[in-house]
Amino acid sequence: FSADASARARARAALGLRERDWVIGTAARLAPEKDQATLLRAAAPSVRRGAHLLVAGDGPERSSLEALAAKLGIAERTRFLGALADVPGFLRTLDVFALSSRIEGLPMSMLEAMATELPVVATSVGGVVDAIRNGENGYRVPSDDPEALGAALALVEEDREAAREMGRRARDWVLD
């Protein structure tokens, strides 16, 4: 991750996170087409093992997503941050960016994550198919499939050096 280490540490500290914490995050409107419920289900095993899940954005699904986090037993380590003015600062806190949409164009939040060298795990919808070369600069998984999304998140967590290289290739793709 190329972000200045002190900026990363400050961004994490502002959210009560430590450098050693594993942090999964997303930034999108909390709406049915973005399907963050699938992300919560996919991330639940990692969160139960100690990871943190950060959800940036707001919208009509927020209360149902908060209820789902409680039902899944991950509410304590899942933070709903609302709409953020400082997306780059938010991205500095993450180890992996996840997008669980059912419908997309070319998601700006995903491109911003790629530009900051974050490994990305996203559903194979819309422009994601053109942006993510599966296994090279991110992982693509089918939509509405929490098991596949969770497996890809686990791959990133298990091989962090490969994930860093994936993030570097993602940045190169965006810059090209």
Side-chain angles (χ1 to χ4, degrees), residues 74-158:
I74 62 171
E76 185 177 306
R77 291 175 129 1
T78 300
R79 307 246 327 254
F80 291 89
L81 303 173
L84 298 178
D86 181 16
V87 174
F90 166 71
L91 292 172
R92 276 189 201 99
T93 67
L94 306 182
D95 292 297
V96 59
F97 182 85
L99 195 69
S100 53
S101 299
R102 292 183 178 125
I103 301 166
E104 271 301 346
L106 183 58
M108 185 58 66
S109 61
M110 181 189 75
L111 294 175
E112 290 172 325
M114 292 171 75
T116 59
E117 293 190 13
L118 276 171
V120 172
V121 176
T123 49
S124 293
V125 296
V128 171
V129 175
D130 297 320
I132 301 292
R133 293 185 311 269
N134 200 38
E136 291 180 37
N137 67 348
Y139 288 111
R140 284 181 296 150
V141 299
S143 60
D144 296 305
D145 189 340
E147 291 79 21
L149 186 61
L153 289 169
L155 285 173
V156 173
E157 185 177 4
E158 289 166 9

XYZ file of all heavy atoms in Angstrom, residues 74-158:
623
model
N -21.770 -9.657 13.925
C -20.578 -8.893 13.551
C -20.737 -7.391 13.795
O -19.882 -6.601 13.384
C -20.177 -9.158 12.081
C -21.278 -8.714 11.110
C -19.816 -10.629 11.881
C -20.872 -8.749 9.648
N -21.799 -6.999 14.465
C -22.078 -5.568 14.657
C -20.963 -4.852 15.409
O -20.656 -3.697 15.108
C -23.406 -5.380 15.383
N -20.337 -5.525 16.353
C -19.300 -4.890 17.161
C -18.086 -4.470 16.325
O -17.414 -3.495 16.633
C -18.848 -5.839 18.275
C -17.874 -5.227 19.240
C -17.527 -6.180 20.365
O -18.452 -6.683 21.025
O -16.316 -6.405 20.569
N -17.791 -5.207 15.253
C -16.625 -4.928 14.427
C -17.008 -4.407 13.040
O -16.181 -4.348 12.144
C -15.771 -6.172 14.286
C -15.083 -6.560 15.603
C -14.351 -7.848 15.445
N -13.001 -8.075 15.793
C -12.091 -7.296 16.327
N -12.362 -6.074 16.592
N -10.884 -7.687 16.595
N -18.266 -4.040 12.869
C -18.746 -3.464 11.610
C -19.175 -2.035 11.892
O -19.995 -1.793 12.774
C -19.935 -4.273 11.040
O -19.490 -5.617 10.814
C -20.435 -3.681 9.741
N -18.619 -1.089 11.145
C -18.941 0.323 11.361
C -19.595 0.888 10.114
O -19.050 0.780 9.020
C -17.667 1.115 11.666
C -16.855 0.536 12.803
C -16.738 1.350 14.044
N -16.720 2.757 13.942
C -15.654 3.523 14.092
N -14.463 2.989 14.280
N -15.758 4.829 14.038
N -20.740 1.496 10.300
C -21.437 2.210 9.236
C -21.085 3.683 9.414
O -21.503 4.316 10.374
C -22.942 1.958 9.328
C -23.301 0.539 8.991
C -23.325 -0.442 9.970
C -23.570 0.179 7.682
C -23.634 -1.758 9.659
C -23.880 -1.135 7.360
C -23.905 -2.105 8.348
N -20.290 4.204 8.491
C -19.701 5.533 8.651
C -20.517 6.653 8.038
O -20.183 7.820 8.225
C -18.291 5.533 8.044
C -17.335 4.486 8.616
C -16.034 4.469 7.825
C -17.078 4.731 10.093
N -21.560 6.318 7.293
C -22.341 7.351 6.627
C -21.590 7.907 5.424
O -20.553 7.382 5.016
N -22.124 8.984 4.872
C -21.477 9.633 3.729
C -20.193 10.304 4.195
O -20.161 10.929 5.251
C -22.423 10.646 3.101
N -19.144 10.167 3.411
C -17.848 10.722 3.781
C -17.401 11.768 2.776
O -17.533 11.574 1.567
C -16.781 9.618 3.816
C -16.987 8.489 4.814
C -15.864 7.472 4.668
C -17.031 9.025 6.232
N -16.823 12.849 3.290
C -16.257 13.865 2.409
C -14.839 13.475 1.993
O -14.390 13.824 0.910
C -16.244 15.217 3.119
N -14.135 12.723 2.840
C -12.739 12.379 2.593
C -12.597 10.910 2.216
O -12.186 10.080 3.026
C -11.906 12.706 3.839
C -10.424 12.406 3.657
O -9.980 12.228 2.496
O -9.712 12.355 4.677
N -12.939 10.591 0.975
C -12.827 9.202 0.514
C -11.369 8.744 0.501
O -11.078 7.634 0.957
C -13.526 8.998 -0.843
C -13.280 7.596 -1.384
C -15.020 9.253 -0.701
N -10.403 9.555 0.021
C -9.005 9.097 0.083
C -8.556 8.762 1.508
O -7.852 7.774 1.723
C -8.212 10.272 -0.496
C -9.183 10.956 -1.398
C -10.515 10.832 -0.701
N -8.966 9.558 2.473
C -8.629 9.265 3.863
C -9.240 7.946 4.313
O -8.600 7.151 5.000
N -10.477 7.703 3.923
C -11.137 6.433 4.238
C -10.380 5.268 3.605
O -10.113 4.259 4.262
C -12.591 6.472 3.735
C -13.258 5.136 3.709
C -13.616 4.502 4.887
C -13.528 4.503 2.506
C -14.239 3.255 4.873
C -14.152 3.262 2.480
C -14.496 2.641 3.666
N -10.024 5.401 2.343
C -9.335 4.315 1.646
C -8.008 3.973 2.308
O -7.596 2.811 2.310
C -9.136 4.673 0.170
C -10.423 4.750 -0.657
C -10.126 5.292 -2.050
C -11.144 3.410 -0.725
N -7.349 4.961 2.906
C -6.077 4.712 3.612
C -6.247 3.726 4.763
O -5.275 3.092 5.158
C -5.517 6.015 4.195
C -4.738 6.824 3.255
C -4.048 7.984 3.992
N -3.731 8.986 3.025
C -4.466 10.076 2.806
N -5.517 10.344 3.535
N -4.111 10.924 1.870
N -7.434 3.632 5.312
C -7.643 2.753 6.464
C -7.789 1.287 6.070
O -7.691 0.414 6.919
C -8.904 3.159 7.261
O -10.060 2.931 6.463
C -8.839 4.608 7.694
N -8.024 1.014 4.792
C -8.392 -0.333 4.350
C -7.199 -1.194 3.965
O -6.167 -0.700 3.543
C -9.329 -0.243 3.141
C -10.589 0.605 3.293
C -11.411 0.543 2.010
C -11.403 0.200 4.506
N -7.416 -2.512 4.061
C -6.482 -3.499 3.520
C -7.020 -4.094 2.229
O -6.254 -4.583 1.407
C -6.242 -4.611 4.537
C -5.488 -4.096 5.745
O -4.337 -3.649 5.569
O -6.053 -4.104 6.852
N -8.330 -4.088 2.061
C -8.965 -4.594 0.845
C -10.269 -3.833 0.645
O -10.970 -3.521 1.605
C -9.198 -6.125 0.906
C -10.080 -6.526 2.078
C -9.764 -6.664 -0.407
N -10.562 -3.525 -0.614
C -11.805 -2.843 -0.970
C -12.727 -3.864 -1.611
O -12.318 -4.623 -2.486
C -11.518 -1.715 -1.964
C -12.745 -0.931 -2.343
C -13.181 0.118 -1.555
C -13.477 -1.258 -3.474
C -14.322 0.838 -1.887
C -14.609 -0.543 -3.823
C -15.028 0.505 -3.024
N -13.982 -3.881 -1.174
C -14.950 -4.845 -1.703
C -16.167 -4.118 -2.252
O -16.616 -3.121 -1.693
C -15.380 -5.806 -0.593
N -16.673 -4.634 -3.358
C -17.865 -4.074 -3.983
C -18.775 -5.231 -4.347
O -18.380 -6.128 -5.098
C -17.474 -3.270 -5.226
C -18.530 -2.343 -5.788
C -18.778 -1.173 -4.841
C -18.100 -1.824 -7.147
N -19.994 -5.234 -3.814
C -20.902 -6.372 -3.972
C -22.123 -6.060 -4.831
O -23.153 -6.700 -4.703
C -21.344 -6.851 -2.584
O -21.860 -5.768 -1.826
N -22.007 -5.118 -5.721
C -23.151 -4.633 -6.508
C -23.782 -5.703 -7.397
O -23.108 -6.593 -7.902
C -22.715 -3.479 -7.399
O -22.233 -2.410 -6.635
N -25.080 -5.530 -7.610
C -25.815 -6.334 -8.593
C -25.816 -5.655 -9.958
O -25.915 -6.316 -10.980
C -27.263 -6.510 -8.145
C -27.434 -7.359 -6.934
C -28.909 -7.531 -6.596
N -29.043 -8.396 -5.459
C -29.686 -8.083 -4.363
N -30.294 -6.914 -4.246
N -29.751 -8.931 -3.369
N -25.747 -4.317 -9.925
C -25.780 -3.498 -11.138
C -24.734 -2.405 -10.967
O -24.656 -1.790 -9.913
C -27.168 -2.843 -11.330
C -28.266 -3.898 -11.435
C -27.177 -1.924 -12.539
C -29.666 -3.327 -11.285
N -23.934 -2.145 -11.994
C -22.924 -1.093 -11.944
C -22.683 -0.550 -13.337
O -22.906 -1.247 -14.326
C -21.580 -1.626 -11.436
C -21.360 -1.600 -9.963
C -21.444 -0.242 -9.303
O -21.429 0.803 -9.981
O -21.561 -0.217 -8.079
N -22.162 0.652 -13.377
C -21.531 1.172 -14.573
C -20.049 0.880 -14.399
O -19.643 -0.271 -14.302
N -19.258 1.927 -14.277
C -17.856 1.801 -13.900
C -17.726 2.530 -12.568
O -17.688 3.760 -12.526
C -16.938 2.417 -14.961
C -15.443 2.282 -14.704
C -15.040 0.810 -14.558
C -14.658 2.918 -15.843
N -17.710 1.791 -11.459
C -17.795 2.411 -10.130
C -16.587 3.270 -9.772
O -15.456 2.787 -9.737
C -17.929 1.226 -9.182
C -17.593 0.022 -9.966
C -17.660 0.343 -11.411
N -16.844 4.543 -9.520
C -15.787 5.481 -9.164
C -15.078 5.058 -7.886
O -13.847 5.171 -7.790
C -16.360 6.901 -9.016
C -15.308 7.953 -8.761
S -14.029 8.078 -10.040
C -14.989 8.638 -11.419
N -15.811 4.579 -6.900
C -15.163 4.187 -5.640
C -14.161 3.063 -5.874
O -13.096 3.029 -5.255
C -16.198 3.792 -4.591
O -16.956 2.681 -5.021
N -14.479 2.141 -6.775
C -13.562 1.054 -7.091
C -12.308 1.603 -7.773
O -11.187 1.210 -7.444
C -14.239 0.021 -7.986
C -13.339 -1.153 -8.345
S -14.053 -2.215 -9.605
C -13.808 -1.194 -11.079
N -12.489 2.526 -8.715
C -11.341 3.126 -9.400
C -10.458 3.893 -8.417
O -9.225 3.830 -8.499
C -11.808 4.047 -10.520
C -12.512 3.367 -11.689
C -13.030 4.411 -12.663
C -11.607 2.371 -12.378
N -11.077 4.609 -7.476
C -10.301 5.327 -6.456
C -9.510 4.349 -5.596
O -8.347 4.598 -5.266
C -11.222 6.185 -5.590
C -11.803 7.367 -6.332
C -12.866 8.113 -5.547
O -13.641 7.474 -4.796
O -12.919 9.350 -5.690
N -10.144 3.227 -5.236
C -9.445 2.212 -4.444
C -8.272 1.639 -5.233
O -7.167 1.487 -4.700
C -10.421 1.105 -4.037
N -8.496 1.339 -6.501
C -7.426 0.818 -7.347
C -6.287 1.832 -7.455
O -5.117 1.459 -7.401
C -7.975 0.459 -8.725
C -8.931 -0.722 -8.711
S -9.760 -0.978 -10.308
C -8.412 -1.687 -11.280
N -6.618 3.106 -7.595
C -5.606 4.146 -7.722
C -4.752 4.285 -6.471
O -3.613 4.751 -6.538
C -6.263 5.488 -8.059
N -5.275 3.871 -5.327
C -4.503 3.931 -4.079
C -3.824 2.597 -3.768
O -3.386 2.379 -2.638
C -5.390 4.364 -2.891
O -6.455 3.434 -2.748
C -5.933 5.752 -3.071
N -3.753 1.735 -4.758
C -3.074 0.437 -4.656
C -3.755 -0.551 -3.730
O -3.109 -1.457 -3.196
C -1.594 0.592 -4.266
C -0.763 1.246 -5.317
C 0.727 1.190 -5.039
O 1.172 0.427 -4.149
O 1.453 1.917 -5.723
N -5.054 -0.416 -3.563
C -5.772 -1.409 -2.769
C -6.143 -2.603 -3.632
O -6.601 -2.431 -4.765
C -7.062 -0.804 -2.206
C -6.930 -0.021 -0.929
C -8.232 0.705 -0.619
C -6.534 -0.918 0.226
N -5.984 -3.812 -3.099
C -6.557 -4.950 -3.802
C -8.080 -4.812 -3.761
O -8.641 -4.358 -2.761
C -6.069 -6.162 -3.010
C -5.659 -5.638 -1.681
C -5.318 -4.190 -1.863
N -8.729 -5.184 -4.845
C -10.176 -5.037 -4.965
C -10.805 -6.403 -5.202
O -10.308 -7.195 -6.009
C -10.536 -4.092 -6.131
C -12.030 -4.085 -6.395
C -10.041 -2.680 -5.842
N -11.895 -6.651 -4.494
C -12.739 -7.813 -4.740
C -14.103 -7.258 -5.103
O -14.697 -6.512 -4.320
C -12.831 -8.726 -3.501
C -13.789 -9.872 -3.751
C -11.454 -9.237 -3.102
N -14.584 -7.579 -6.302
C -15.836 -6.986 -6.786
C -16.642 -7.997 -7.581
O -16.095 -8.960 -8.127
C -15.524 -5.759 -7.654
N -17.917 -7.743 -7.654
C -18.793 -8.602 -8.438
C -18.630 -8.306 -9.925
O -18.353 -7.180 -10.329
C -20.258 -8.427 -8.011
O -20.568 -7.032 -7.974
C -20.497 -9.030 -6.638
N -18.815 -9.327 -10.727
C -18.632 -9.246 -12.185
C -19.851 -8.629 -12.851
O -20.630 -9.310 -13.514
C -18.383 -10.636 -12.764
O -17.161 -11.143 -12.326
N -20.001 -7.329 -12.663
C -21.133 -6.611 -13.255
C -20.622 -5.342 -13.927
O -19.619 -4.761 -13.501
C -22.214 -6.270 -12.202
C -22.827 -7.528 -11.616
C -21.656 -5.391 -11.092
N -21.298 -4.915 -14.969
C -20.986 -3.649 -15.630
C -19.526 -3.499 -15.966
O -18.856 -4.426 -16.429
N -18.998 -2.302 -15.733
C -17.623 -1.968 -16.066
C -16.578 -2.655 -15.209
O -15.391 -2.616 -15.539
N -16.996 -3.315 -14.131
C -16.050 -4.070 -13.304
C -15.370 -5.129 -14.165
O -14.167 -5.386 -14.034
C -16.763 -4.720 -12.092
C -15.840 -5.674 -11.350
C -17.306 -3.651 -11.158
N -16.129 -5.718 -15.080
C -15.602 -6.779 -15.938
C -14.432 -6.264 -16.778
O -13.461 -6.984 -17.008
C -16.730 -7.348 -16.832
C -16.200 -8.365 -17.816
C -17.824 -7.959 -15.960
N -14.494 -5.018 -17.215
C -13.417 -4.440 -18.013
C -12.241 -3.969 -17.153
O -11.099 -3.979 -17.619
C -13.947 -3.251 -18.828
C -15.014 -3.673 -19.818
O -14.855 -4.753 -20.424
O -16.006 -2.936 -19.970
N -12.505 -3.566 -15.926
C -11.462 -2.990 -15.072
C -10.652 -4.036 -14.322
O -9.445 -3.880 -14.142
C -12.083 -2.012 -14.076
N -11.285 -5.075 -13.862
C -10.612 -6.080 -13.039
C -10.242 -7.287 -13.892
O -11.111 -7.983 -14.410
C -11.493 -6.538 -11.851
C -11.858 -5.364 -10.949
C -10.802 -7.650 -11.058
C -10.714 -4.752 -10.190
N -8.945 -7.504 -14.019
C -8.443 -8.722 -14.670
C -8.284 -9.740 -13.547
O -7.345 -9.642 -12.747
C -7.131 -8.430 -15.398
C -7.332 -7.481 -16.589
C -6.065 -7.268 -17.389
N -4.893 -6.932 -16.597
C -4.509 -5.682 -16.298
N -5.184 -4.649 -16.739
N -3.429 -5.487 -15.564
N -9.195 -10.672 -13.502
C -9.316 -11.592 -12.377
C -7.993 -12.264 -12.023
O -7.374 -12.905 -12.868
C -10.393 -12.641 -12.676
C -10.898 -13.300 -11.431
O -11.061 -12.649 -10.399
N -11.151 -14.592 -11.499
N -7.591 -12.090 -10.772
C -6.370 -12.687 -10.272
C -5.122 -11.871 -10.564
O -4.054 -12.176 -10.035
N -5.228 -10.843 -11.399
C -4.066 -10.005 -11.731
C -4.089 -8.677 -10.984
O -3.124 -8.314 -10.323
C -4.015 -9.727 -13.230
C -3.681 -10.943 -14.062
C -3.648 -10.616 -15.539
O -3.187 -9.514 -15.896
O -4.092 -11.461 -16.331
N -5.181 -7.928 -11.127
C -5.265 -6.627 -10.450
C -6.479 -6.556 -9.524
O -6.898 -5.495 -9.109
C -5.268 -5.470 -11.457
C -6.516 -5.422 -12.307
O -7.306 -6.364 -12.332
N -6.713 -4.327 -13.009
N -7.034 -7.709 -9.209
C -8.182 -7.823 -8.320
C -8.850 -9.165 -8.533
O -8.356 -10.001 -9.290
N -9.955 -9.351 -7.843
C -10.744 -10.570 -8.022
C -12.164 -10.181 -8.396
O -12.738 -9.261 -7.807
C -10.790 -11.410 -6.740
C -9.495 -12.092 -6.416
C -8.743 -11.698 -5.318
C -9.015 -13.128 -7.205
C -7.544 -12.322 -5.008
C -7.820 -13.763 -6.907
C -7.088 -13.345 -5.814
O -5.902 -13.969 -5.513
N -12.720 -10.894 -9.372
C -14.123 -10.752 -9.735
C -14.858 -12.020 -9.324
O -14.336 -13.121 -9.507
C -14.285 -10.575 -11.245
C -13.931 -9.211 -11.735
C -14.132 -9.108 -13.223
N -13.194 -10.025 -13.873
C -13.404 -10.640 -15.019
N -14.511 -10.457 -15.683
N -12.510 -11.444 -15.530
N -16.050 -11.818 -8.796
C -16.880 -12.949 -8.370
C -18.303 -12.714 -8.865
O -18.679 -11.586 -9.169
C -16.863 -13.108 -6.833
C -15.450 -13.374 -6.326
C -17.453 -11.899 -6.142
N -19.105 -13.771 -8.938
C -20.498 -13.582 -9.346
C -21.257 -12.725 -8.334
O -20.957 -12.735 -7.137
C -21.069 -15.008 -9.363
C -19.888 -15.919 -9.360
C -18.776 -15.175 -8.703
N -22.249 -11.985 -8.807
C -23.090 -11.218 -7.883
C -23.995 -12.171 -7.120
O -24.190 -13.327 -7.521
C -23.906 -10.172 -8.645
O -24.733 -10.795 -9.597
N -24.528 -11.683 -5.992
C -25.436 -12.475 -5.148
C -24.827 -13.788 -4.672
O -25.542 -14.766 -4.483
C -26.761 -12.760 -5.887
C -27.534 -11.514 -6.193
O -27.818 -10.750 -5.262
O -27.851 -11.291 -7.384
N -23.512 -13.816 -4.481
C -22.838 -15.050 -4.073
C -21.887 -14.758 -2.912
O -20.691 -14.539 -3.109
C -22.082 -15.638 -5.268
C -21.539 -17.035 -4.997
O -21.392 -17.418 -3.804
O -21.239 -17.736 -5.982
N -22.419 -14.740 -1.669
C -21.572 -14.411 -0.524
C -20.416 -15.389 -0.323
O -19.345 -14.994 0.138
C -22.519 -14.407 0.672
C -23.800 -14.964 0.208
C -23.809 -14.955 -1.286
N -20.612 -16.655 -0.689
C -19.531 -17.633 -0.522
C -18.358 -17.302 -1.433
O -17.199 -17.325 -1.009
C -20.032 -19.057 -0.784
C -20.983 -19.575 0.267
C -22.411 -19.047 0.116
O -22.802 -18.603 -0.994
O -23.142 -19.072 1.121
N -18.637 -16.969 -2.696
C -17.561 -16.618 -3.631
C -16.869 -15.322 -3.205
O -15.642 -15.223 -3.252
C -18.110 -16.496 -5.047
N -17.642 -14.338 -2.792
C -17.069 -13.071 -2.342
C -16.205 -13.300 -1.104
O -15.082 -12.794 -1.004
C -18.183 -12.057 -2.067
C -17.770 -10.636 -1.724
C -16.980 -9.988 -2.850
C -19.003 -9.796 -1.416
N -16.710 -14.091 -0.170
C -15.945 -14.400 1.040
C -14.664 -15.155 0.734
O -13.615 -14.893 1.344
N -14.717 -16.081 -0.212
C -13.519 -16.839 -0.587
C -12.463 -15.919 -1.188
O -11.267 -16.054 -0.895
C -13.882 -17.955 -1.564
N -12.881 -14.972 -2.029
C -11.926 -14.027 -2.624
C -11.344 -13.108 -1.556
O -10.137 -12.809 -1.578
C -12.598 -13.226 -3.737
N -12.158 -12.652 -0.622
C -11.637 -11.834 0.481
C -10.604 -12.621 1.287
O -9.573 -12.081 1.686
C -12.776 -11.358 1.387
C -13.707 -10.311 0.799
C -14.933 -10.118 1.689
C -12.983 -8.992 0.580
N -10.872 -13.897 1.507
C -9.942 -14.745 2.256
C -8.625 -14.908 1.503
O -7.554 -14.912 2.124
C -10.574 -16.110 2.535
N -8.674 -15.024 0.174
C -7.440 -15.122 -0.617
C -6.565 -13.890 -0.407
O -5.344 -14.007 -0.270
C -7.770 -15.259 -2.108
C -8.275 -16.604 -2.595
C -8.703 -16.496 -4.056
C -7.210 -17.672 -2.414
N -7.185 -12.723 -0.403
C -6.432 -11.482 -0.199
C -5.810 -11.475 1.191
O -4.637 -11.131 1.367
C -7.331 -10.250 -0.418
C -6.613 -8.967 -0.038
C -7.810 -10.189 -1.867
N -6.583 -11.864 2.186
C -6.080 -11.850 3.561
C -4.967 -12.874 3.766
O -3.986 -12.610 4.463
C -7.223 -12.113 4.540
C -6.809 -12.002 5.981
C -7.942 -12.180 6.966
O -9.088 -12.465 6.545
O -7.686 -12.036 8.168
N -5.084 -14.030 3.141
C -4.113 -15.112 3.348
C -2.769 -14.838 2.697
O -1.744 -15.287 3.196
C -4.687 -16.427 2.814
C -5.812 -16.955 3.657
C -6.609 -18.056 2.966
O -6.192 -18.535 1.888
O -7.663 -18.423 3.501
